[in-house]
Amino acid sequence: MLLLHQELEKRKRFAKIVDSFLLKPVYKYDLLELLTKYLPNELKTEIAEVEKPIETITASVRAKEPLSVETKFELLQKYLPIVLNLKQFLNFDSLIAFEKELEKFSVEHDIARLKKFCSELKDSIETFNTDKIYTTLDEISIFIKKEESWKL
């Protein structure tokens, strides 16, 4: 009981000098919730206003870009598993590394659609817009799976 009272006193003193705080262990969702509360979200609002309906996204993803067999194979073997993992475990360090690697790949192979995805992903990471991150990861997954249907 004394320990609980001391803990409550510590929390009260801490609350007087800070706007918010998290206690250990810190969970990813609690941290993201707190960050989105204090980070500017103007870009998030702008993105929400220009988001396309899912039919439009799907239609634009279907536009064929001439890719080599090797490029298609690399997308399937290397990048699809990473996308699926990121969708399951949204790790920001891995997400940032993935965005940089995918951007490099899209520039090397001149894949405009992937360049656009990288730009969207980078903006979403910078603003901690997790909804848009998941949407972009879904779009990347659809794009890569479409490549799979080209039968290597």
Side-chain angles (χ1 to χ4, degrees):
M1 191 68 155
L2 180 61
L3 186 60
L4 181 60
H5 180 66
Q6 289 174 340
E7 185 67 29
L8 288 173
E9 287 300 317
K10 283 182 187 178
R11 285 181 185 213
K12 286 179 185 176
R13 281 185 285 163
F14 214 56
K16 288 179 183 178
I17 58 173
V18 296
D19 292 327
S20 295
F21 62 93
L22 296 171
L23 298 175
K24 290 182 181 179
V26 175
Y27 296 100
K28 170 174 58 175
Y29 298 106
D30 295 336
L31 177 60
L32 286 173
E33 183 180 331
L34 197 59
L35 287 172
T36 56
K37 180 178 176 182
Y38 292 104
L39 290 175
N41 64 356
E42 294 86 25
L43 184 58
K44 184 176 179 179
T45 306
E46 290 172 19
I47 290 172
E49 290 173 3
V50 296
E51 282 184 356
K52 301 175 186 176
I54 195 75
E55 303 85 39
T56 307
I57 292 169
T58 306
S60 64
V61 167
R62 287 193 186 120
K64 282 198 174 189
E65 297 179 22
L67 298 180
S68 70
V69 171
E70 294 83 13
T71 303
K72 295 175 201 177
F73 186 76
E74 190 170 352
L75 279 171
L76 287 167
Q77 296 298 311
K78 183 176 182 181
Y79 293 103
L80 186 58
I82 296 171
V83 171
L84 297 176
N85 187 317
L86 286 170
K87 284 170 53 177
Q88 188 174 8
F89 308 103
L90 190 62
N91 177 300
F92 272 80
D93 291 334
S94 299
L95 192 59
I96 291 166
F98 169 72
E99 183 275 325
K100 288 178 182 177
E101 187 176 337
L102 189 64
E103 183 175 26
K104 181 180 174 187
F105 179 85
S106 68
V107 169
E108 286 173 2
H109 297 282
D110 194 29
I111 306 171
R113 190 73 184 136
L114 280 182
K115 289 177 191 174
K116 183 177 184 306
F117 290 142
C118 290
S119 175
E120 291 173 3
L121 202 52
K122 188 174 185 177
D123 290 343
S124 301
I125 292 167
E126 289 173 355
T127 58
F128 292 94
N129 186 343
T130 54
D131 291 338
K132 184 62 179 165
I133 289 170
Y134 281 117
T135 300
T136 305
L137 288 174
D138 284 338
E139 291 172 348
I140 293 169
S141 177
I142 290 168
F143 178 80
I144 293 174
K145 287 177 182 176
K146 176 208 60 156
E147 301 303 323
E148 183 178 30
S149 69
W150 293 356
K151 297 193 171 47
L152 301 176

